[in-house]
Amino acid sequence: MHVTIVTAFPEFFRDFLSTSIVGRAVKRNLLRVDLVDLREFGRGGYRQIDDYAFGAGGMVLAAPQLEDALNAARGEGEACVVYPSPQGTLLTQEIVETLSRQEHVVILCGHYEGIDERFVEREVDLEVRVGDCVLTGGEIPAMAVIDAMARLVPGVVGRGEAVEEDSFYRGMLDHPHYTRPASWRGMDVPEVLLSGNEAEVRTWRRARAVERTLIRRPDLLARAAIGDYLSGGARLALLTADGPTPEGAEALSSLCRFYGLGRPFFVILRPDERRSFDALSAGASGVPRVLGSLSRVWDWARSHGKGRPTLTVVVEAQPRSGSLHTLEAKRRCLEHDGPLLFLFPDGVEAGEIAEGPAVYASVAQEAETLPLAVRAGIALDRFLGKR
């Protein structure tokens, strides 16, 4: 990973780039960070890099000096130019991951009242902010960007799982952490963490991550991939009278493989159409289970649900009275202690699902007709989307 910082205060970064995890990454050549001193490109005897703002106001970093510094920072190649600014978009984990995939990132540290807007319009690819606050300059946000990027470089963080468990990595908050002593001021570490049972510890951690996110940051659910946090896994079922086309059947099976849903259920109501799919239900794994009624699906769910009820998420082609917004439906899924079944009616009315709890959702707020595979792909990505 290669990052170049353009700053009028390069000494600001000396300790940062030689300390802790970032310092070790630099020393091991996992992270390369170059510093370009903006003052070296100043004008006149005083090496001036700023001037008074037109229309009154404070000092503004000048475009010609910034352009010279940026050209030196870029070198012979291209670079993604980032400018920390209170007017920028909020820095998120998704932005950090995008920047970490760039061959070269140049971070321009503003100061005083900022930098000439013409330079921003001409040269800057991305403006980011670390919060709704105003800092003295862009050096502290630049450190935040570099630190967050460095964690994604293989080998920088000693244990790869630690990165995957971080807050925001999958869109969710992290679980609580504890260390010795096991009892402190009358408060004990949860017993499951002392049990040595890795599976139970993993389940506990994911449940606590869900709990924290729902309580503290429910807004994160809009972009969270919840597949890894479901307590009982998920399956897909198609409810149709005539059966899907061969292309549609293959598309649904591919979606199930991609999202880890196992073999899909094809509930085909017409016996003659069902018989044409019977050959698909035997043999290799991944082919659909062809059934004649939803009751057969509930029978299977009861036998595999370990006594816990199955929550059915009915994804309809058009919104109906009582339909939930995707964000609310995701919250219900996370709160449910048991398996999920994503049910896609195709050309038939699902009616009221009598077997256990159910929620209704649609992929559009207005009445639209989408091909089954498209509707299923959109819905599964909104709920289970992989990063």
Side-chain angles (χ1 to χ4, degrees):
M1 181 180 293
H2 183 197
V3 180
T4 301
I5 306 168
V6 177
T7 174
F9 303 94
E11 64 276 8
F12 212 97
F13 295 90
R14 304 300 183 193
D15 289 341
F16 169 70
L17 295 175
S18 60
T19 307
S20 189
I21 292 176
V22 171
R24 291 197 298 270
V26 172
K27 187 176 181 179
R28 295 169 57 194
N29 294 320
L30 298 173
L31 173 65
R32 173 185 169 187
V33 181
D34 297 323
L35 294 171
V36 172
D37 189 346
L38 180 59
R39 295 188 185 277
E40 294 183 359
F41 302 89
R43 301 295 196 264
Y46 293 99
R47 314 298 291 177
Q48 185 176 0
I49 59 174
D50 58 358
D51 212 331
Y52 291 102
F54 285 120
M59 306 299 287
V60 177
L61 295 180
Q65 292 90 316
L66 287 167
E67 182 180 41
D68 292 345
L70 178 59
N71 288 337
R74 280 191 178 125
E76 299 297 326
E78 296 296 322
C80 176
V81 180
V82 178
Y83 170 44
S85 161
Q87 289 81 35
T89 186
L90 182 64
L91 183 66
T92 63
Q93 185 66 21
E94 289 82 0
I95 291 176
V96 171
E97 291 181 25
T98 298
L99 293 176
S100 71
R101 300 187 185 109
Q102 309 307 309
E103 290 188 8
H104 186 193
V105 174
V106 174
I107 304 177
L108 300 171
C109 297
H111 226 72
Y112 313 117
E113 291 298 317
I115 68 180
D116 193 304
E117 186 65 24
R118 293 168 296 181
F119 179 83
V120 176
E121 294 177 359
R122 179 181 176 85
E123 301 289 356
V124 171
D125 298 306
L126 175 66
E127 288 187 67
V128 297
R129 73 182 194 278
V130 294
D132 292 334
C133 59
V134 180
L135 302 175
T136 303
E139 285 75 18
I140 291 177
M143 290 182 184
V145 172
I146 293 170
D147 187 273
M149 291 172 61
R151 292 182 62 82
L152 301 178
V153 178
V156 169
V157 178
R159 196 170 60 89
E161 294 86 349
V163 174
E164 296 181 2
E165 293 170 358
D166 282 341
S167 291
F168 311 118
Y169 187 81
R170 292 188 177 91
M172 307 281 279
L173 295 182
D174 195 5
H175 56 77
H177 295 267
Y178 301 88
T179 188
R180 295 181 178 88
S183 181
W184 178 74
R185 294 187 181 274
M187 295 182 289
D188 296 331
V189 172
E191 290 186 7
V192 65
L193 299 182
L194 308 176
S195 68
N197 188 316
E198 294 185 5
E200 290 185 1
V201 169
R202 186 163 52 250
T203 298
W204 181 91
R205 285 176 169 175
R206 290 184 175 179
R208 298 293 79 75
V210 168
E211 183 179 73
R212 278 193 164 189
T213 305
L214 292 176
I215 293 174
R216 301 183 182 186
R217 292 292 305 278
D219 57 295
L220 292 178
L221 294 184
R223 59 187 179 94
I226 67 173
D228 290 333
Y229 296 89
L230 300 175
S231 62
R235 302 298 288 258
L236 179 146
L238 166 68
L239 177 62
T240 176
D242 299 326
T245 63
E247 294 79 9
E250 176 55 32
L252 290 177
S253 296
S254 297
L255 285 171
C256 289
R257 289 192 292 270
F258 183 76
Y259 289 105
L261 300 181
R263 295 170 59 184
F265 296 102
F266 284 5
V267 180
I268 303 175
L269 301 180
R270 289 181 54 185
D272 55 334
E273 294 290 344
R274 186 165 62 251
R275 282 191 291 270
S276 68
F277 275 89
D278 280 343
L280 294 176
S281 62
S285 62
V287 296
R289 299 174 184 269
V290 180
L291 305 173
S293 68
L294 279 175
S295 63
R296 296 283 303 279
V297 178
W298 308 138
D299 291 341
W300 187 94
R302 277 191 294 270
S303 64
H304 290 76
K306 298 180 180 179
R308 296 178 296 174
T310 297
L311 174 65
T312 302
V313 182
V314 185
V315 184
E316 299 183 296
Q318 298 179 355
R320 55 176 278 174
S321 176
S323 291
L324 301 182
H325 188 280
T326 303
L327 183 61
E328 175 62 15
K330 290 172 77 171
R331 185 182 67 81
R332 302 276 185 95
C333 292
L334 287 170
E335 290 179 337
H336 178 69
D337 182 21
L340 299 183
L341 177 70
F342 290 98
L343 176 61
F344 292 87
D346 186 40
V348 298
E349 290 291 333
E352 295 297 328
I353 304 299
E355 290 277 347
V359 297
Y360 292 81
S362 64
V363 297
Q365 295 304 308
E366 300 178 356
E368 293 186 20
T369 301
L370 294 172
L372 173 64
V374 174
R375 175 158 48 101
I378 293 173
L380 293 178
D381 192 69
R382 286 182 180 177
F383 282 91
L384 310 174
K386 295 188 176 182
R387 294 176 64 80

